[in-house]
Amino acid sequence: VQLQASGGGLVQAGGSLRLSCLVSGFTMENYGITWFRQAPGKEREAVGCIRSSGATNVVGSLKGRFTISRDNAKNTVYLRMNSLKPEDTAVYYCAGPGCGLSRQDYDYWGQGTLVTVSS
């Protein structure tokens, strides 16, 4: 099982980015995938997840700015981030399979992709 996160970079505050998580080793369409992030000096926290049905659950403080989608044909889950703020600076990880919001729920993690938001 492999998850590969990509798409991070440097963006100005107010800008947007779309991260991708390419999944291999299991039939992605049958499972949820979850995004986490870890800011410097902080604990890894859940961003949100997308279920096999396509239903999403983005944590409250990020709702309205962050959206999660999936393309099963491409074995890829996306995290679209709008109106980015400096406090969104973090390494972003995808994890699966599943839709739990606890780090302990997952055995498989992507390598992380760094998002830096400048003020």
Side-chain angles (χ1 to χ4, degrees), residues 42-118:
K42 295 190 176 181
E43 294 289 319
R44 194 171 299 187
E45 64 179 3
V47 171
C49 74
I50 185 164
R51 300 182 184 280
S52 58
S53 64
T56 60
N57 178 22
V58 176
V59 298
S61 60
L62 301 177
K63 284 181 181 177
R65 294 195 300 122
F66 287 21
T67 58
I68 302 172
S69 61
R70 63 193 296 154
D71 185 338
N72 291 331
K74 295 182 178 180
N75 291 329
T76 301
V77 170
Y78 302 101
L79 175 65
R80 176 72 179 185
M81 306 182 293
N82 295 327
S83 302
L84 283 161
K85 305 175 181 180
E87 51 264 41
D88 295 317
T89 294
V91 178
Y92 285 73
Y93 300 88
C94 52
C99 218
L101 298 182
S102 170
R103 294 174 54 184
Q104 287 70 35
D105 291 338
Y106 299 98
D107 293 327
Y108 301 107
W109 293 82
Q111 80 283 10
T113 185
L114 176 63
V115 173
T116 304
V117 184
S118 63

